[in-house]
Protein backbone atom coordinates (compact mmCIF):
# COMPACT_ATOMS: atom_id res chain seq x y z
CA UNK A 1 0.00 0.00 0.00
CA UNK A 2 1.49 3.36 -1.03
CA UNK A 3 -1.37 5.81 -0.54
CA UNK A 4 -2.82 4.51 2.70
CA UNK A 5 -1.51 3.02 5.91
CA UNK A 6 -3.11 -0.23 7.05
CA UNK A 7 -2.53 -1.67 10.47
CA UNK A 8 -4.21 -4.36 12.58
CA UNK A 9 -3.79 -4.39 16.34
CA UNK A 10 -6.03 -5.45 19.23
CA UNK A 11 -8.76 -6.67 16.84
CA UNK A 12 -8.98 -3.22 15.22
CA UNK A 13 -7.98 -2.48 11.62
CA UNK A 14 -6.94 1.12 11.05
CA UNK A 15 -6.94 2.66 7.59
CA UNK A 16 -5.19 6.03 7.30
CA UNK A 17 -5.65 7.96 4.07
CA UNK A 18 -2.11 9.09 3.44
CA UNK A 19 -1.67 11.76 0.79
CA UNK A 20 -1.47 14.76 3.14
CA UNK A 21 0.12 17.05 0.52
CA UNK A 22 -3.24 16.96 -1.35
CA UNK A 23 -5.35 16.86 1.83
CA UNK A 24 -5.72 13.11 1.14
CA UNK A 25 -7.33 13.54 -2.27
CA UNK A 26 -8.39 10.27 -3.86
CA UNK A 27 -6.16 9.14 -6.70
CA UNK A 28 -7.22 5.96 -8.53
CA UNK A 29 -4.56 4.12 -6.54
CA UNK A 30 -5.92 5.40 -3.23
CA UNK A 31 -9.47 4.38 -4.17
CA UNK A 32 -8.24 0.87 -5.04
CA UNK A 33 -6.00 0.50 -2.00
CA UNK A 34 -8.71 1.68 0.39
CA UNK A 35 -11.17 -0.78 -1.15
CA UNK A 36 -8.62 -3.62 -0.89
CA UNK A 37 -7.85 -2.77 2.73
CA UNK A 38 -11.54 -2.84 3.61
CA UNK A 39 -11.94 -6.22 1.89
CA UNK A 40 -8.92 -7.52 3.78
CA UNK A 41 -10.43 -6.30 7.07
CA UNK A 42 -13.66 -8.07 6.15
CA UNK A 43 -11.88 -11.37 5.51
CA UNK A 44 -9.62 -11.21 8.57
CA UNK A 45 -11.33 -12.94 11.50
CA UNK A 46 -9.02 -11.14 13.91
CA UNK A 47 -10.55 -7.81 12.86
CA UNK A 48 -13.72 -6.93 14.76
CA UNK A 49 -13.85 -3.18 14.19
CA UNK A 50 -12.44 -0.86 11.51
CA UNK A 51 -11.32 2.74 11.85
CA UNK A 52 -10.74 5.16 9.00
CA UNK A 53 -9.03 8.52 9.31
CA UNK A 54 -6.81 10.95 7.40
CA UNK A 55 -3.16 11.86 7.86
CA UNK A 56 -2.48 15.55 8.45
CA UNK A 57 -5.04 18.34 8.74
CA UNK A 58 -7.77 16.84 6.52
CA UNK A 59 -9.85 13.70 6.37
CA UNK A 60 -10.03 13.85 2.56
CA UNK A 61 -10.52 16.52 -0.09
CA UNK A 62 -12.27 14.07 -2.45
CA UNK A 63 -11.32 13.32 -6.04
CA UNK A 64 -7.77 14.36 -6.91
CA UNK A 65 -8.45 17.28 -9.25
CA UNK A 66 -4.92 17.26 -10.67
CA UNK A 67 -5.65 13.76 -12.02
CA UNK A 68 -8.85 15.06 -13.63
CA UNK A 69 -6.93 17.48 -15.82
CA UNK A 70 -4.77 14.62 -17.12
CA UNK A 71 -7.78 12.66 -18.44
CA UNK A 72 -8.20 12.00 -22.15
CA UNK A 73 -11.23 13.48 -23.95
CA UNK A 74 -12.84 10.03 -24.20
CA UNK A 75 -12.57 9.46 -20.44
CA UNK A 76 -15.83 8.21 -18.90
CA UNK A 77 -16.60 9.58 -15.42
CA UNK A 78 -19.45 7.05 -15.22
CA UNK A 79 -16.99 4.19 -15.67
CA UNK A 80 -14.60 5.82 -13.22
CA UNK A 81 -17.36 5.79 -10.60
CA UNK A 82 -18.50 2.27 -11.48
CA UNK A 83 -14.98 0.82 -11.20
CA UNK A 84 -13.75 3.05 -8.36
CA UNK A 85 -15.88 4.91 -5.83
CA UNK A 86 -18.89 2.62 -6.26
CA UNK A 87 -16.72 -0.37 -5.31
CA UNK A 88 -15.30 1.51 -2.33
CA UNK A 89 -18.67 2.62 -0.95
CA UNK A 90 -20.31 -0.76 -1.59
CA UNK A 91 -17.45 -2.47 0.23
CA UNK A 92 -17.91 -0.20 3.25
CA UNK A 93 -21.66 -0.79 3.43
CA UNK A 94 -21.32 -4.56 2.87
CA UNK A 95 -18.57 -4.95 5.50
CA UNK A 96 -20.34 -6.61 8.43
CA UNK A 97 -18.14 -5.07 11.10
CA UNK A 98 -18.55 -1.58 12.57
CA UNK A 99 -16.58 1.15 10.79
CA UNK A 100 -15.72 4.24 12.81
CA UNK A 101 -14.74 7.37 10.91
CA UNK A 102 -12.32 9.48 12.96
CA UNK A 103 -12.96 12.70 11.06
CA UNK A 104 -9.86 14.74 11.81
CA UNK A 105 -10.47 17.66 9.40
CA UNK A 106 -12.31 18.62 6.25
CA UNK A 107 -14.20 15.87 4.40
CA UNK A 108 -15.02 17.20 0.93
CA UNK A 109 -16.59 15.68 -2.19
CA UNK A 110 -15.98 11.94 -2.35
CA UNK A 111 -14.12 12.34 0.97
CA UNK A 112 -17.46 13.33 2.47
CA UNK A 113 -19.05 10.28 0.81
CA UNK A 114 -16.48 7.99 2.42
CA UNK A 115 -16.98 9.67 5.82
CA UNK A 116 -20.74 9.19 5.51
CA UNK A 117 -20.35 5.53 4.55
CA UNK A 118 -18.72 4.82 7.92
CA UNK A 119 -21.24 3.54 10.47
CA UNK A 120 -20.21 5.95 13.22
CA UNK A 121 -18.41 9.29 12.99
CA UNK A 122 -16.35 10.98 15.67
CA UNK A 123 -15.46 14.46 14.50
CA UNK A 124 -12.75 16.80 15.64
CA UNK A 125 -14.08 20.25 16.50
CA UNK A 126 -11.94 21.40 13.54
CA UNK A 127 -13.63 19.02 11.09
CA UNK A 128 -16.12 20.06 8.43
CA UNK A 129 -18.21 18.43 5.72
CA UNK A 130 -18.51 19.88 2.27
CA UNK A 131 -20.28 18.66 -0.86
CA UNK A 132 -17.69 20.29 -3.11
CA UNK A 133 -19.09 18.58 -6.23
CA UNK A 134 -21.18 21.53 -7.50
CA UNK A 135 -18.10 23.77 -7.26
CA UNK A 136 -16.68 21.73 -10.12
CA UNK A 137 -20.00 21.40 -11.92
CA UNK A 138 -20.81 17.86 -10.80
CA UNK A 139 -23.59 16.18 -8.88
CA UNK A 140 -22.83 14.42 -5.59
CA UNK A 141 -21.59 10.85 -6.00
CA UNK A 142 -19.86 8.19 -3.89
CA UNK A 143 -23.16 7.30 -2.24
CA UNK A 144 -23.87 10.80 -0.92
CA UNK A 145 -27.32 10.98 -2.56
CA UNK A 146 -28.33 7.79 -0.73
CA UNK A 147 -26.56 8.35 2.57
CA UNK A 148 -26.93 12.05 3.34
CA UNK A 149 -30.72 12.62 2.96
CA UNK A 150 -31.23 9.59 5.21
CA UNK A 151 -29.11 11.23 7.91
CA UNK A 152 -30.15 14.87 7.67
CA UNK A 153 -33.29 14.98 5.48
CA UNK A 154 -33.70 16.16 1.91
CA UNK A 155 -33.73 19.94 2.46
CA UNK A 156 -30.42 20.03 4.33
CA UNK A 157 -28.81 17.53 1.97
CA UNK A 158 -29.93 19.47 -1.10
CA UNK A 159 -28.78 22.74 0.45
CA UNK A 160 -25.35 21.23 1.12
CA UNK A 161 -25.19 19.97 -2.46
CA UNK A 162 -26.09 23.19 -4.23
CA UNK A 163 -24.25 25.64 -1.95
CA UNK A 164 -21.13 23.49 -1.39
CA UNK A 165 -20.93 25.28 1.95
CA UNK A 166 -18.58 23.88 4.57
CA UNK A 167 -20.69 22.48 7.42
CA UNK A 168 -18.68 22.74 10.63
CA UNK A 169 -18.58 19.78 13.03
CA UNK A 170 -20.91 21.40 15.58
CA UNK A 171 -23.66 21.88 12.96
CA UNK A 172 -23.01 18.41 11.54
CA UNK A 173 -23.67 17.06 15.03
CA UNK A 174 -26.85 19.12 15.39
CA UNK A 175 -28.03 17.76 12.01
CA UNK A 176 -27.27 14.13 12.91
CA UNK A 177 -24.32 13.64 10.57
CA UNK A 178 -21.86 12.74 13.32
CA UNK A 179 -22.17 10.82 16.59
CA UNK A 180 -19.73 12.87 18.68
CA UNK A 181 -17.69 16.05 18.38
CA UNK A 182 -14.59 16.22 20.54
CA UNK A 183 -11.68 18.65 20.93
CA UNK A 184 -9.21 18.12 18.09
CA UNK A 185 -6.49 16.59 20.26
CA UNK A 186 -8.94 13.99 21.59
CA UNK A 187 -10.40 12.71 18.33
CA UNK A 188 -7.99 9.83 17.95
CA UNK A 189 -8.08 8.58 21.54
CA UNK A 190 -11.89 8.84 21.60
CA UNK A 191 -12.18 6.83 18.38
CA UNK A 192 -9.72 4.21 19.67
CA UNK A 193 -11.61 3.88 22.96
CA UNK A 194 -14.86 3.33 21.10
CA UNK A 195 -13.24 0.90 18.66
CA UNK A 196 -11.68 -1.06 21.53
CA UNK A 197 -15.05 -1.45 23.17
CA UNK A 198 -16.74 -2.47 19.89
CA UNK A 199 -13.93 -4.92 19.07
CA UNK A 200 -14.78 -6.78 22.28
CA UNK A 201 -18.48 -6.91 21.41
CA UNK A 202 -20.74 -9.43 19.66
CA UNK A 203 -19.30 -8.86 16.17
CA UNK A 204 -21.72 -11.18 14.41
CA UNK A 205 -24.73 -9.35 15.90
CA UNK A 206 -23.18 -5.96 15.09
CA UNK A 207 -22.67 -7.07 11.50
CA UNK A 208 -26.18 -8.48 11.10
CA UNK A 209 -27.60 -5.26 12.60
CA UNK A 210 -25.75 -3.25 9.97
CA UNK A 211 -27.06 -5.53 7.24
CA UNK A 212 -30.68 -5.33 8.36
CA UNK A 213 -30.69 -1.59 9.00
CA UNK A 214 -29.48 -0.97 5.47
CA UNK A 215 -31.84 -3.51 3.89
CA UNK A 216 -35.01 -2.43 5.66
CA UNK A 217 -34.94 1.05 4.09
CA UNK A 218 -36.55 -0.43 1.04
CA UNK A 219 -38.91 -2.84 2.84
CA UNK A 220 -42.49 -2.72 4.05
CA UNK A 221 -43.07 -3.36 7.78
CA UNK A 222 -44.18 -6.98 7.20
CA UNK A 223 -41.05 -7.59 5.09
CA UNK A 224 -38.85 -5.99 7.76
CA UNK A 225 -40.43 -8.08 10.53
CA UNK A 226 -39.91 -11.25 8.50
CA UNK A 227 -36.27 -10.31 7.86
CA UNK A 228 -35.75 -9.60 11.58
CA UNK A 229 -37.07 -13.06 12.42
CA UNK A 230 -34.77 -14.61 9.83
CA UNK A 231 -31.61 -12.84 11.03
CA UNK A 232 -32.48 -13.21 14.70
CA UNK A 233 -32.54 -16.95 14.09
CA UNK A 234 -28.91 -16.63 13.01
CA UNK A 235 -27.92 -14.36 15.94
CA UNK A 236 -29.85 -16.60 18.34
CA UNK A 237 -27.68 -19.57 17.39
CA UNK A 238 -24.42 -17.69 18.01
CA UNK A 239 -21.95 -18.40 20.79
CA UNK A 240 -22.20 -14.73 21.77
CA UNK A 241 -25.94 -15.01 22.37
CA UNK A 242 -25.40 -17.98 24.67
CA UNK A 243 -22.54 -16.22 26.45
CA UNK A 244 -24.54 -12.98 26.81
CA UNK A 245 -27.48 -14.72 28.45
CA UNK A 246 -25.21 -16.81 30.71
CA UNK A 247 -23.24 -13.72 31.75
CA UNK A 248 -26.43 -11.85 32.64
CA UNK A 249 -27.72 -14.69 34.80
CA UNK A 250 -24.33 -15.13 36.48
CA UNK A 251 -24.13 -11.35 37.09
CA UNK A 252 -20.78 -10.92 35.34
CA UNK A 253 -19.47 -9.14 32.26
CA UNK A 254 -19.92 -11.12 29.04
CA UNK A 255 -16.84 -12.34 27.23
CA UNK A 256 -17.83 -12.15 23.56
CA UNK A 257 -15.78 -13.88 20.89
CA UNK A 258 -17.57 -12.31 17.93
CA UNK A 259 -18.95 -15.69 16.81
O1 LIG B 1 -14.08 12.95 -11.46
C1 LIG B 1 -14.65 11.96 -11.06
O2 LIG B 1 -14.18 10.84 -11.16
C2 LIG B 1 -15.98 12.14 -10.37
C3 LIG B 1 -15.79 12.08 -8.94
C4 LIG B 1 -15.88 13.20 -8.19
C5 LIG B 1 -15.73 13.12 -6.74
C6 LIG B 1 -15.33 14.40 -6.07
O3 LIG B 1 -14.82 14.31 -4.98
S1 LIG B 1 -15.58 15.89 -6.86
C7 LIG B 1 -15.00 17.07 -5.66
C8 LIG B 1 -13.50 17.17 -5.64
N1 LIG B 1 -13.02 17.94 -4.50
C9 LIG B 1 -13.06 19.27 -4.45
O4 LIG B 1 -13.57 19.94 -5.32
C10 LIG B 1 -12.43 19.91 -3.23
C11 LIG B 1 -11.21 20.71 -3.66
N2 LIG B 1 -10.54 21.26 -2.49
C12 LIG B 1 -11.01 22.32 -1.82
O5 LIG B 1 -12.06 22.87 -2.10
C13 LIG B 1 -10.16 22.81 -0.68
O6 LIG B 1 -8.84 22.34 -0.87
C14 LIG B 1 -10.67 22.37 0.72
C15 LIG B 1 -11.96 23.14 1.03
C16 LIG B 1 -10.91 20.89 0.79
C17 LIG B 1 -9.61 22.77 1.78
O7 LIG B 1 -9.27 24.11 1.60
P1 LIG B 1 -7.94 24.69 2.31
O8 LIG B 1 -7.93 26.16 2.04
O9 LIG B 1 -7.90 24.24 3.71
O10 LIG B 1 -6.71 23.98 1.57
P2 LIG B 1 -6.10 24.31 0.12
O11 LIG B 1 -5.07 25.35 0.24
O12 LIG B 1 -7.20 24.53 -0.85
O13 LIG B 1 -5.41 22.89 -0.25
C18 LIG B 1 -4.17 22.52 0.30
C19 LIG B 1 -3.41 21.75 -0.76
O14 LIG B 1 -4.15 20.58 -1.11
C20 LIG B 1 -3.27 22.56 -2.04
O15 LIG B 1 -2.04 22.19 -2.64
P3 LIG B 1 -0.76 23.19 -2.57
O16 LIG B 1 -1.20 24.49 -3.14
O17 LIG B 1 -0.43 23.29 -1.10
O18 LIG B 1 0.29 22.49 -3.37
C21 LIG B 1 -4.40 22.05 -2.90
O19 LIG B 1 -4.18 22.18 -4.27
C22 LIG B 1 -4.42 20.58 -2.51
N3 LIG B 1 -5.75 19.99 -2.75
C23 LIG B 1 -6.86 20.22 -2.03
N4 LIG B 1 -7.87 19.53 -2.54
C24 LIG B 1 -7.39 18.83 -3.60
C25 LIG B 1 -6.03 19.13 -3.74
N5 LIG B 1 -5.27 18.60 -4.69
C26 LIG B 1 -5.90 17.76 -5.56
N6 LIG B 1 -7.20 17.42 -5.49
C27 LIG B 1 -7.97 17.95 -4.52
N7 LIG B 1 -9.26 17.58 -4.41
Amino acid sequence: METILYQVADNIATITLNRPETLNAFSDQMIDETTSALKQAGRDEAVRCVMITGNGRAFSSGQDLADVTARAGSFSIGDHLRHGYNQLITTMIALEKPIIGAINGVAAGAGCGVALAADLRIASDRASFMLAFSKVGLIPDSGVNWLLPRLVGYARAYEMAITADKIPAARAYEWGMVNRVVPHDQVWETAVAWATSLAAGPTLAYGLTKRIMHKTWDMSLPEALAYEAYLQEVAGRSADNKEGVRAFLEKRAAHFTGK
Side-chain angles (χ1 to χ4, degrees):
M1 308 277 192
E2 291 173 348
T3 60
I4 64 165
L5 305 173
Y6 181 73
Q7 187 200 348
V8 178
D10 303 325
N11 302 115
I12 302 164
T14 303
I15 297 170
T16 306
L17 307 173
N18 192 28
R19 302 185 71 227
E21 66 287 355
T22 62
L23 304 185
N24 304 316
F26 276 96
S27 60
D28 290 358
Q29 187 180 2
M30 194 165 95
I31 298 171
D32 289 348
E33 289 186 351
T34 310
T35 308
S36 298
L38 287 158
K39 287 188 173 161
Q40 197 171 320
R43 284 190 301 266
D44 186 345
E45 280 199 13
V47 172
R48 293 170 64 186
C49 184
V50 177
M51 293 169 67
I52 183 160
T53 193
N55 186 13
R57 68 179 174 90
F59 178 75
S60 167
S61 60
Q63 171 62 38
D64 189 317
L65 295 177
D67 287 359
V68 170
T69 58
R71 291 171 177 172
S74 57
F75 184 89
S76 160
I77 293 192
D79 282 344
H80 188 241
L81 294 183
R82 280 185 275 275
H83 299 304
Y85 292 111
N86 293 8
Q87 305 301 319
L88 170 52
I89 299 301
T90 307
T91 303
M92 292 181 78
I93 300 298
L95 180 57
E96 295 198 344
K97 299 175 185 180
I99 304 177
I100 299 178
I103 314 300
N104 54 305
V106 65
C112 188
V114 170
L116 296 177
D119 303 301
L120 304 162
R121 277 161 294 284
I122 295 177
S124 149
D125 56 5
R126 290 188 204 160
S128 57
F129 298 83
M130 180 187 181
L131 298 189
F133 306 90
S134 61
K135 278 187 129 184
V136 290
L138 293 178
I139 65 162
D141 59 30
S142 57
V144 165
N145 298 297
W146 194 85
L147 294 159
L148 190 60
R150 285 169 159 82
L151 287 171
V152 304
Y154 168 75
R156 284 170 172 163
Y158 189 65
E159 179 186 340
M160 277 184 73
I162 61 167
T163 61
D165 283 347
K166 256 192 199 174
I167 304 299
R171 198 177 325 150
Y173 177 74
E174 202 184 298
W175 285 5
M177 284 172 73
V178 301
N179 300 78
R180 309 266 189 283
V181 181
V182 296
H184 184 71
D185 61 357
Q186 289 170 28
V187 69
W188 185 244
E189 63 183 84
T190 309
V192 170
W194 207 357
T196 304
S197 146
L198 293 180
T203 313
L204 177 71
Y206 289 165
L208 295 177
T209 305
K210 177 168 173 175
R211 190 197 304 179
I212 196 166
M213 285 197 173
H214 283 300
K215 286 215 182 210
T216 51
W217 282 115
D218 305 322
M219 288 183 184
S220 64
L221 178 61
E223 286 168 336
L225 290 170
Y227 199 50
E228 282 175 357
Y230 168 67
L231 286 190
Q232 198 66 294
E233 187 79 49
V234 178
R237 289 173 194 272
S238 68
D240 281 345
N241 173 239
K242 291 180 183 53
E243 164 62 6
V245 172
R246 240 186 347 254
F248 175 78
L249 295 174
E250 292 169 10
K251 300 189 188 305
R252 61 172 173 81
H255 176 72
F256 292 122
T257 56
K259 300 204 166 77

